[in-house]
Amino acid sequence: MAKLQKSIDKRNALVKATIELVNNNGFHATPMSKIAKMANVSPATIYLYFENKQDLVNQTYIDVKAEYTNYAFADFNPNMPIEEGFEMIWKRIADFKLKECEHAMFLAQCDNTPMIDEESRQEGIKHLQPLLDLWERGKKEGVIKPLSDYILYAYAINPLSFLMMTQKRGAFTLNKTHLEEAYQSAWSSIKMCK
Amino acid sequence: MAKLQKSIDKRNALVKATIELVNNNGFHATPMSKIAKMANVSPATIYLYFENKQDLVNQTYIDVKAEYTNYAFADFNPNMPIEEGFEMIWKRIADFKLKECEHAMFLAQCDNTPMIDEESRQEGIKHLQPLLDLWERGKKEGVIKPLSDYILYAYAINPLSFLMMTQKRGAFTLNKTHLEEAYQSAWSSIKMCK
DNA sequence: ACGGCAAAAATGAACGTTCATTCTTTTTTT
DNA sequence: AAAAAAAGAATGAACGTTCATTTTTGCCGT
């Protein structure tokens, strides 16, 4: 195997182990030694790929955030009609949160905790721009309520995080019907009433 | 001062310090020694009031959760009309999340992290029953959409957590108008359409 | 009202452990 | 065989918790 690929594999294994351990035990209870063990690597090797523990968790956050937004916008193009574009993005996000729920959970933990440096948090936010642009256009066309982006996000997207979390805790399971209901709630909370 | 009151004061100081330090630094970076210092107490004294660090954070969670729900339901009575009751609870919750945002932030961190024992988490959920009862009644009367409680919560209540968090990060500030818009979004996402 | 005393509460220092990180040596690659 | 990558053992600091003492409290007979 090529040298470069081996390096990439090792880095990925470390990121993967970080996600899994932080999800299950929390940041406070995931020592570098455990991360190393789960990635089949010596603790010292981590420091060839990352500066320190903080850097490891920051980079893991940015990696996962990029994966999330790539997934969300994969089939989207900025010229779609507003409602169609929103539905596509919403459903991709829902898909991601349910299929890659380990990753979504990790993001939820990072986003509600001071465990990520502010700089990395900002870096992560940037990738969401296409959705904000869509909303901007929607407001101009009179299709989307003229609300702050934060309020739109709070009502249209964020509920999915809560549902993902609840499902992960085993309290209930989202089926196709739930998801359609949730989408309707999301859309009706941001669309202009006629 | 009475002996009992002194004990209560000391316990409260410890809980308060825990909230503040965990909010600012995260659980992983708040040692018992710092909690003790902030509460003006010796580290050893903590162990007269709490079994260990885990017990301290569990009890802090339950305390704050109880305060939250007491606040939310303070003026509510179960015989109110559905919409009036919901508006009252919603606005009290919004009030709490904005005025006591340190406490709300602490809850958000606990709820997205494995830092609280499952048992204490369950304990905290119980207090929400009056809202679930109101929704139950609303569904029977055909005023509230017949959705799972989790979906109702996701769309009607949880967005407030996101807005509180965003505001706390300084990204934007919620004013009276925003709040009224948010309430309308919340209500319209759960009310039966006519 | 008060001095003295036993119990309770509180303390600071100490303990053993665990952790993030580094150092030295070994293994792998080119 | 030189250079790069990886390893395991070592290091020093920091942590949660406990221990031996000291301080405070509440109560008693006077």
Side-chain angles (χ1 to χ4, degrees):
Chain A
M1 206 187 321
K3 171 187 117 182
L4 187 62
Q5 183 57 44
K6 268 192 80 172
S7 281
I8 294 176
D9 287 349
K10 216 162 271 194
R11 206 198 95 109
N12 286 346
L14 285 166
V15 166
K16 186 164 184 283
T18 303
I19 295 167
E20 191 169 334
L21 288 167
V22 169
N23 269 350
N24 291 329
N25 311 327
F27 188 35
H28 71 285
T30 73
M32 296 296 260
S33 55
K34 274 194 194 172
I35 297 174
K37 194 164 284 176
M38 179 169 279
N40 282 314
V41 135
S42 153
T45 304
I46 301 181
Y47 292 85
L48 300 176
Y49 293 84
F50 303 94
E51 262 180 55
N52 50 37
K53 194 182 181 185
Q54 185 64 55
D55 182 46
L56 166 58
V57 71
N58 283 341
Q59 288 202 39
T60 301
Y61 175 74
I62 293 176
D63 269 34
V64 177
K65 196 84 173 191
E67 185 208 353
Y68 164 63
T69 42
N70 280 343
Y71 193 99
F73 299 127
D75 307 332
F76 171 73
N77 95 60
N79 302 315
M80 285 178 163
I82 303 295
E83 184 170 357
E84 186 185 333
F86 175 72
E87 180 171 355
M88 164 166 287
I89 295 170
W90 192 95
K91 294 204 164 157
R92 292 285 294 180
I93 291 180
D95 234 42
F96 181 86
K97 300 230 177 191
L98 298 179
K99 289 191 184 143
E100 305 289 332
C101 69
E102 292 293 332
H103 289 193
M105 244 174 93
F106 181 77
L107 291 181
Q109 187 165 173
C110 292
D111 285 332
N112 288 278
T113 278
M115 83 192 222
I116 302 293
D117 283 347
E118 191 51 32
E119 191 188 332
S120 303
R121 203 186 294 284
Q122 293 301 330
E123 173 76 26
I125 289 180
K126 282 186 199 152
H127 299 97
L128 217 67
Q129 200 55 46
L131 178 60
L132 305 187
D133 292 342
L134 180 75
W135 281 343
E136 193 51 42
R137 188 156 61 89
K139 291 178 203 171
K140 281 208 184 99
E141 293 182 15
V143 185
I144 299 273
K145 289 182 190 164
L147 302 177
S148 150
D149 286 341
Y150 295 108
I151 294 186
L152 293 178
Y153 195 89
Y155 280 91
I157 307 296
N158 201 61
L160 282 169
S161 292
F162 177 83
L163 291 172
M164 174 274 295
M165 213 69 183
T166 312
Q167 156 143 319
K168 193 67 195 172
R169 292 231 169 82
F172 92 128
T173 42
L174 268 172
N175 58 29
K176 281 250 173 219
T177 316
H178 287 136
L179 221 62
E180 197 50 48
E181 290 166 355
Y183 172 69
Q184 291 306 330
S185 287
W187 175 243
S188 66
S189 70
I190 69 166
K191 74 157 189 256
M192 259 323 219
C193 295
K194 291 182 184 151
Chain B
M1 206 187 323
K3 170 187 122 183
L4 187 63
Q5 184 56 45
K6 268 192 81 173
S7 281
I8 294 176
D9 287 350
K10 215 162 270 193
R11 206 198 96 110
N12 287 344
L14 285 166
V15 165
K16 186 162 185 283
T18 303
I19 294 167
E20 191 169 334
L21 288 166
V22 169
N23 268 351
N24 291 330
N25 312 328
F27 188 34
H28 70 285
T30 73
M32 295 295 260
S33 54
K34 272 194 195 172
I35 297 174
K37 194 165 286 178
M38 180 169 280
N40 283 313
V41 135
S42 155
T45 305
I46 302 181
Y47 293 84
L48 300 176
Y49 293 85
F50 304 95
E51 261 180 53
N52 49 37
K53 194 184 182 184
Q54 185 64 58
D55 182 45
L56 166 60
V57 71
N58 283 341
Q59 288 201 39
T60 301
Y61 174 73
I62 293 175
D63 268 33
V64 177
K65 197 86 172 190
E67 187 207 350
Y68 164 62
T69 42
N70 280 342
Y71 194 96
F73 300 128
D75 307 332
F76 171 71
N77 94 62
N79 302 315
M80 285 177 165
I82 303 294
E83 184 170 356
E84 186 187 333
F86 176 72
E87 181 172 354
M88 164 167 286
I89 294 170
W90 192 95
K91 294 204 165 158
R92 292 286 293 181
I93 291 180
D95 233 40
F96 181 86
K97 300 226 179 195
L98 298 179
K99 290 193 185 141
E100 305 289 329
C101 70
E102 292 294 330
H103 289 191
M105 242 173 95
F106 180 78
L107 291 180
Q109 188 165 171
C110 292
D111 286 331
N112 290 278
T113 279
M115 84 192 219
I116 302 293
D117 284 346
E118 192 51 31
E119 191 188 332
S120 303
R121 204 186 293 285
Q122 293 301 330
E123 173 75 25
I125 290 180
K126 282 185 201 153
H127 298 98
L128 218 67
Q129 200 55 45
L131 178 60
L132 306 187
D133 293 341
L134 180 75
W135 281 342
E136 192 52 41
R137 189 156 61 89
K139 291 178 202 170
K140 281 207 184 100
E141 294 181 16
V143 185
I144 300 273
K145 289 183 191 164
L147 301 177
S148 150
D149 286 342
Y150 294 109
I151 295 185
L152 293 179
Y153 195 89
Y155 279 91
I157 307 296
N158 201 62
L160 282 171
S161 292
F162 177 83
L163 291 173
M164 174 273 296
M165 213 69 181
T166 312
Q167 156 144 320
K168 192 67 196 171
R169 292 232 169 82
F172 92 126
T173 40
L174 269 171
N175 58 30
K176 283 248 174 224
T177 317
H178 288 136
L179 222 63
E180 195 51 47
E181 290 166 357
Y183 171 71
Q184 291 306 330
S185 287
W187 175 242
S188 67
S189 70
I190 67 166
K191 73 154 190 259
M192 261 319 219
C193 296
K194 295 191 179 141

